[in-house]
Amino acid sequence: MGAYNKYDPRLESLVVETKTIWDASVADLSEEDRETVAQEIHAAPQLADKVEYERAHTGFTREVTVTAETIQKLYQEKLQAQ
């Protein structure tokens, strides 16, 4: 079986845990902003530049790395939805 290092809609139904990694480009975000961004990116993981899935006993853990580009994609998505 191959590596799980990109968004995979087939694996999404098996995600039982999430992790968020913060790139140095977003190091200055407040804790409140980090919580908001983490919730939003895990609700739309296809927008993340880096997504990895790690096997767990009952499914997968989704690990998303948030970069400045990721946040820009989130805001663009919100603007298009309005």
Side-chain angles (χ1 to χ4, degrees):
M1 191 153 265
Y4 304 110
N5 57 6
K6 64 179 182 175
Y7 174 74
D8 188 336
R10 297 172 301 141
L11 295 179
E12 283 300 311
S13 65
L14 302 172
V15 171
V16 295
E17 185 179 348
T18 61
K19 291 182 185 177
T20 308
I21 307 299
W22 301 96
D23 186 73
S25 65
V26 294
D28 60 341
L29 284 179
S30 70
E31 191 61 36
E32 184 178 314
D33 288 339
R34 285 177 185 242
E35 288 179 28
T36 301
V37 170
Q39 288 175 359
E40 290 182 15
I41 196 59
H42 284 291
Q46 69 277 11
L47 297 177
D49 295 315
K50 183 177 178 188
V51 179
E52 294 184 6
Y53 299 91
E54 297 175 7
R55 282 192 166 280
H57 290 291
T58 58
F60 287 88
T61 299
R62 180 193 323 116
E63 183 178 290
V64 174
T65 301
V66 176
T67 64
E69 292 82 18
T70 304
I71 294 172
Q72 184 177 9
K73 287 180 185 179
L74 284 171
Y75 283 116
Q76 287 174 348
E77 186 77 13
K78 277 187 164 189
L79 288 174
Q80 290 176 357
Q82 290 180 353

